[in-house]
Amino acid sequence: MKTVRKSIILSILLLCLSVSCRKDLVNMNNNPNGANPATINPNMVLSTVLTTVGMQLVNLGYQDMAGVMQHTQKDGWTTTHNEYDWAGSNSWTEYYDVLRNNQLVYNRGVALNSELHQGVALVIKSLMFGLIADLWGDAPYTHALEGDKGTPEGTLPAYDKQETIYNGILADLEKANTLLSKPKNAYAIPIDAADVFYQGDPAKWRKMANSLALRYYMRLSEKVPEKAKAGIEKIVANPDQYPLILNTDGSEDANMSFPGNSNADSWPANVVYDKDSSNYRRLKMCNTLVTTLQKFKDPRLGVWANKVQCFLVVDDNLPPGTGNVYKAVDTVVNGEQRKVRYISPDVLAAKGLTINDINQDVNYVGLPPGISGPAVYNLSNDASQASRNPHVSWLNDIYRQAKGPLLKSRIITAAEVHFILAEAAAVKGWAAGNAETHYKSGIQASFSVWGLGGSAAAYLEQPSVKFDGTQEQIIVQKWIASWTAATEAWADYKRTGFPKLKAGPYAKGPVLPVRLYYMLEERNLNKANVDAASNNLEVTTYSSFGANGSKNSPWSKPWVIQGTGKPW
C-alpha cells in the first residue's frame, strides 16, 4: 500500500515537473523584444508594408525595367539593364516577404473587426500578386502564404495559373471596394500615421482599388475581351459605386514620398548617401525616349534630364587631329553659356566611326539601347564604369537628391487611369467615356505632376500629339508618362506591341523579353511545381535565347499573351 502511494505521489510530481518544463520552454521560445502576431497593432506592420512596397516598385520602375522599356540605359554594370542578361534567375522573395506581412495586417483587421485594415490589405495584396503574375506568369498564389502551417501545400506550394491569379485579384478588389466604402469617421481604428500613401483616407484607397481593377481588366483585354469589357463598363457606368483616380492635379494618385533620412528611406541611386555618385552617374537617358520627346517638343525632357555638358561639332574645315583629345570650348547657344568640342573628320575615321555613329545634338543626347561600350559612346574619353561622359545627357540633378517634391514612387496615377479609359473607348469601342477627353486628361495629369500643368494645352495642339484614336498613340503617351514607373509600361508593351521598341545589338535576345526567369532557389527546392508552370509557357522562336532552356525563358510567352500575336 505504501509502495502504491509512493508511486502515485512520484507520478504527480513528475507530471507537475513536466508541465512546468514545457511552460518554461514555451516562455524561452518567446522573444520578449518581438511582436506577437496575435496581439500586435496592425498599424505597426502596415507602415512597413507600405514603405517596402513603395521602394520595391520604384526600384523596378526606375532601374532595370526602365532599361527594358528604354527610358534609360547604363554606361557601367550594363548587362542586366541594357542587355536583359538576367543569368537564368530572378527572385521574387522580397515580394512574398511583403505579402506575408500584409497578410498579418489583414488577419489582425479581421480579428479586430477593422474593415479599413482589411480593405487596404486587399488592395496591397492585389497590387503585389498582380506584379508577380505580370513579371513571371504562373506563380504560387492559393497556398503561397501558408508556410507557417508546415503542410506540404504550404511548404512547396503549387503554382496557380496566371489567369487564376488575375481573377483572384479582381475578386479581392471588388471586396476591397465594399470594405472601403464608408466615411472615414465610421472606422474605429484609424491608420493615418501608418499610411504613407493616403494618410488614412479610405475614399482614396477605394479609388485606388477600382483603378487597379481597371488596370487588370485591361491586362486581360486581348485574351478574354468579353470579361474585360464587362468589368470596365461596369466600373465606368457606376461612378458612385466605383469611384476612380481621375483628378489631373495628382491629388488622388497613389504615391510615396521619401523622408531622405538614410539610404534606406531615400530616392534610389541618390548621391547623398552614395559618396562617389557611381549609381547616379551610370544611369543615363536612353536615346529612344530622348528622340521621342524631342519629336513631340515635350518639355518633360528638361525635367527628367540635363543637357549635355559639352556638345560635339564635326567640321570638315578643321585641321587634322582637332578634337582627338577632349578640349571643351566656351560658346553661346540661344543666349545660354555652353561648351562645345570641335572635331575634324579624320578623328572619327581613326576610331572606326562615321558621322552616323555620333550624336551632335546641342542639348540632349541619349545612349542607344544595348550597344557595345556605352561608357565611350559619343567620343567620351572616360572608359571607366559609370563614366563621366560629358557628351551624353545625365539625369536631371533632382535625381542626385535623397528627397524632393518630384521624387516619388508612383504606384498608380490619374494619367494611367485616363489612358486606360481612352484605349477602352477609342480602340476597343467600349462604353468608357469620351476617348479624346480621357487622352487629353492623361497628358494633362502627367504634365501637372511634373510641374508643367500650364504647358499641356500647347503641347496637345501640336499635329504630332493631336488625338488620332489609335492604340499606338495612346500607348506611346502612356509609356512616356510612366517615367520612373516603367514596369507598367512593360506590361502594356507585352499586350500591345507598343511602343515599337527594338532590342539593341548586344542584347541577350533579338527582341524584347516578355517575362522573368523562375529563380534558381525555386528550381532547386520546388522543382516539380516549377516544371509544371514552365510547361504552361508558350515556347517561341526566340525562347532559345534564355539561359535556362527554352521553357523557362524570358522569351517564352505566359498565358495572358499566348495566341495574341503580341508583342512580336
Side-chain angles (χ1 to χ4, degrees):
M1 205 52 194
K2 288 181 179 178
T3 301
V4 172
R5 189 178 297 113
K6 287 179 180 178
S7 297
I8 293 172
I9 293 170
L10 181 60
S11 297
I12 293 171
L13 287 171
L14 288 173
L15 179 63
C16 290
L17 286 171
S18 174
V19 171
S20 175
C21 285
R22 282 201 299 271
K23 286 181 178 178
D24 288 341
L25 286 171
V26 169
N27 289 334
M28 287 175 66
N29 282 321
N30 285 331
N31 180 2
N33 298 316
N36 186 341
T39 59
I40 190 172
N41 182 334
N43 283 346
M44 294 179 64
V45 184
L46 179 62
S47 61
T48 299
V49 166
L50 298 183
T51 53
T52 305
V53 166
M55 287 300 300
Q56 288 172 346
L57 292 180
V58 78
N59 278 329
L60 265 180
Y62 181 61
Q63 296 286 346
D64 283 351
M65 292 305 103
V68 173
M69 291 310 297
Q70 298 178 17
H71 281 173
T72 56
Q73 292 285 280
K74 288 185 176 179
D75 55 14
W77 297 275
T78 64
T79 54
T80 60
H81 195 88
N82 301 5
E83 301 159 24
Y84 335 127
D85 188 1
W86 297 325
S89 187
N90 303 106
S91 181
W92 56 33
T93 299
E94 64 178 8
Y95 305 139
Y96 281 105
D97 286 345
V98 77
L99 279 165
R100 279 189 290 273
N101 285 332
N102 186 66
Q103 186 64 39
L104 175 57
V105 174
Y106 180 82
N107 292 342
R108 291 296 294 142
V110 172
L112 296 170
N113 196 29
S114 174
E115 292 181 328
L116 183 55
H117 286 91
Q118 294 174 52
V120 169
L122 286 175
V123 173
I124 296 300
K125 176 187 176 185
S126 301
L127 176 70
M128 297 309 292
F129 271 120
L131 177 67
I132 290 168
D134 289 343
L135 295 180
W136 281 274
D138 295 0
Y141 178 66
T142 302
H143 299 291
L145 308 179
E146 298 179 356
D148 59 336
K149 294 183 178 179
T151 62
E153 296 84 2
T155 304
L156 298 174
Y159 285 36
D160 290 84
K161 293 184 183 301
Q162 189 183 42
E163 180 181 13
T164 301
I165 299 173
Y166 286 140
N167 287 335
I169 288 167
L170 290 167
D172 280 341
L173 291 171
E174 182 76 31
K175 183 177 180 182
N177 176 58
T178 301
L179 290 167
L180 297 166
S181 61
K182 297 177 181 178
K184 185 176 181 179
N185 60 12
Y187 296 99
I189 306 177
I191 63 171
D192 300 40
D195 182 5
V196 295
F197 292 1
Y198 286 131
Q199 294 71 55
D201 188 342
K204 290 183 178 179
W205 275 102
R206 189 184 188 194
K207 291 181 178 183
M208 181 179 174
N210 296 319
S211 298
L212 284 173
L214 282 186
R215 173 188 286 182
Y216 290 107
Y217 278 124
M218 186 55 77
R219 194 82 85 243
L220 298 173
S221 62
E222 296 292 322
K223 190 71 175 182
V224 281
E226 301 84 1
K227 182 181 182 70
K229 177 178 186 291
I232 289 178
E233 289 187 342
K234 174 193 71 175
I235 290 172
V236 174
N238 299 281
D240 292 335
Q241 186 178 352
Y242 296 101
L244 294 167
I245 297 171
L246 294 173
N247 281 0
T248 59
D249 61 3
S251 61
E252 298 172 341
D253 291 359
N255 292 326
M256 187 188 80
S257 299
F258 296 86
N261 298 316
S262 69
N263 193 49
D265 66 8
S266 296
W267 180 259
N270 68 83
V271 307
V272 175
Y273 299 102
D274 178 15
K275 295 304 182 184
D276 72 355
S277 74
S278 62
N279 288 315
Y280 165 75
R281 284 189 287 112
R282 67 185 180 183
L283 198 62
K284 303 295 195 298
M285 297 296 290
C286 181
N287 186 60
T288 310
L289 181 60
V290 170
T291 55
T292 300
L293 293 170
Q294 288 175 323
K295 179 180 71 174
F296 295 148
K297 299 180 177 60
D298 195 318
R300 286 173 290 188
L301 178 56
V303 178
W304 300 338
N306 284 336
K307 293 178 180 178
V308 291
Q309 297 164 21
C310 177
F311 62 91
L312 304 178
V313 171
V314 178
D315 189 341
D316 294 342
N317 299 314
L318 294 170
T322 302
N324 188 47
V325 176
Y326 171 60
K327 185 178 180 181
V329 178
D330 289 330
T331 188
V332 175
V333 179
N334 295 325
E336 182 182 10
Q337 197 72 29
R338 300 290 301 281
K339 291 187 179 297
V340 58
R341 175 183 176 184
Y342 292 105
I343 302 158
S344 56
D346 64 294
V347 170
L348 293 182
K351 296 176 181 294
L353 301 174
T354 71
I355 199 76
N356 295 322
D357 295 317
I358 65 169
N359 189 329
Q360 299 181 70
D361 193 282
V362 301
N363 290 320
Y364 297 99
V365 174
L367 277 176
I371 60 172
S372 173
V376 293
Y377 175 71
N378 226 28
L379 301 184
S380 173
N381 289 333
D382 183 358
S384 64
Q385 298 274 32
S387 70
R388 298 182 182 274
N389 189 343
H391 308 310
V392 171
S393 290
W394 295 25
L395 299 191
N396 191 296
D397 285 351
I398 61 173
Y399 299 107
R400 298 169 56 88
Q401 305 305 315
K403 62 180 179 179
L406 299 181
L407 300 183
K408 298 179 181 181
S409 176
R410 301 179 189 276
I411 296 156
I412 186 165
T413 65
E416 179 185 339
V417 172
H418 282 295
F419 285 129
I420 290 171
L421 296 174
E423 183 184 0
V427 181
K428 308 296 185 183
W430 300 341
N434 184 279
E436 183 172 1
T437 299
H438 283 305
Y439 169 79
K440 290 180 176 179
S441 294
I443 291 173
Q444 178 69 60
S446 179
F447 272 57
S448 294
V449 299
W450 293 107
L452 298 166
S455 302
Y459 178 80
L460 284 162
E461 285 301 312
Q462 297 181 95
S464 60
V465 179
K466 276 190 174 182
F467 181 66
D468 64 15
T470 63
Q471 187 178 50
E472 181 172 11
Q473 184 190 54
I474 294 167
I475 296 300
V476 165
Q477 285 292 339
K478 193 179 179 188
W479 166 69
I480 294 170
S482 70
W483 169 255
T484 71
T487 311
E488 184 59 24
W490 192 30
D492 282 332
Y493 169 79
K494 290 181 283 186
R495 178 176 61 83
T496 68
F498 298 123
K500 294 177 180 177
L501 302 177
K502 295 181 179 179
Y506 280 80
K508 187 76 173 178
V511 294
L512 270 62
V514 294
R515 60 179 296 274
L516 301 183
Y517 291 103
Y518 290 128
M519 62 295 309
L520 183 61
E521 59 264 34
E522 278 289 292
R523 301 199 303 268
N524 286 339
L525 300 175
N526 198 10
K527 185 177 186 302
N529 289 317
V530 170
D531 288 347
S534 296
N535 284 331
N536 289 333
L537 295 166
E538 178 188 317
V539 174
T540 72
T541 305
Y542 306 109
S543 293
S544 60
F545 291 98
N548 186 239
S550 60
K551 286 290 187 179
N552 182 28
S553 167
W555 289 271
S556 292
K557 292 185 176 183
W559 168 83
V560 76
I561 56 173
Q562 289 173 9
T564 66
K566 305 292 177 55
W568 29 256

